[in-house]
Amino acid sequence: MNYTVSLKENRVFRRLYAKGKSQAGPAMVLYCRKNGREINRFGITASTKLGNAVVRNRVRRRLREIYRLNEDKLLSGYDIVVVARARAVGSRYDDLDRQFLRLAKKLQLLHPEEISKEEKKQ
């Protein structure tokens, strides 16, 4: 994650939930808010409703990798939090990837040239 710092403080997560923009999909909810910096800050939330620690960590690893591979497509200067839903456990990796990009596009987090590339794929 070249351009990204991890979000770890509870107060930052709470502020993002309260004042940030969000978009929801079947397997995840994406929250974002401008942070006034030149880098992105990224966090993942996976509740115990998803399953035991092994299951939650697998979902976190997949979501972190999806973010890592797509971070160059995202605008910088945002706090981004992904909240995993129960459907994320059984979802295929490429479905999660597609859903992440679709939610990022709805939140206007993608670079303009990436939006045109995505539209050509569909």
Side-chain angles (χ1 to χ4, degrees):
M1 295 190 209
N2 299 334
Y3 320 105
T4 306
V5 174
S6 293
L7 277 179
K8 295 184 175 152
E9 296 179 2
N10 189 20
R11 65 183 175 86
V12 179
F13 278 84
R14 284 197 320 257
R15 185 179 337 124
L16 195 58
Y17 296 143
K19 297 184 179 183
K21 296 188 296 184
S22 67
Q23 285 292 326
M28 69 182 79
V29 180
L30 196 63
Y31 289 89
C32 75
R33 182 175 190 234
K34 283 191 178 270
N35 62 17
R37 302 167 192 226
E38 294 185 13
I39 59 170
N40 286 342
R41 297 190 301 178
F42 180 68
I44 299 173
T45 303
S47 82
T48 54
K49 294 177 185 178
L50 298 181
N52 62 19
V54 174
V55 173
R56 292 193 309 272
N57 286 329
R58 184 183 318 122
V59 170
R60 277 193 210 106
R61 280 194 309 269
R62 289 170 132 199
L63 293 173
R64 194 176 307 117
E65 182 67 4
I66 287 168
Y67 178 83
R68 186 186 72 82
L69 293 175
N70 291 306
E71 75 177 329
D72 58 331
K73 298 176 184 176
L74 300 174
L75 298 170
S76 58
Y78 284 90
D79 288 343
I80 300 168
V81 170
V82 177
V83 178
R85 288 182 157 181
R87 278 221 188 131
V89 174
S91 296
R92 294 179 28 214
Y93 179 86
D94 57 333
D95 294 336
L96 290 173
D97 188 37
R98 224 175 297 121
Q99 192 173 137
F100 177 82
L101 288 173
R102 189 174 67 247
L103 296 176
K105 180 181 173 186
K106 285 183 180 179
L107 288 170
Q108 299 169 349
L109 290 175
L110 294 179
H111 284 292
E113 61 271 7
E114 294 299 329
I115 293 173
S116 60
K117 285 180 188 176
E118 290 296 318
E119 289 172 354
K120 288 178 185 176
K121 283 183 183 178
Q122 296 172 356

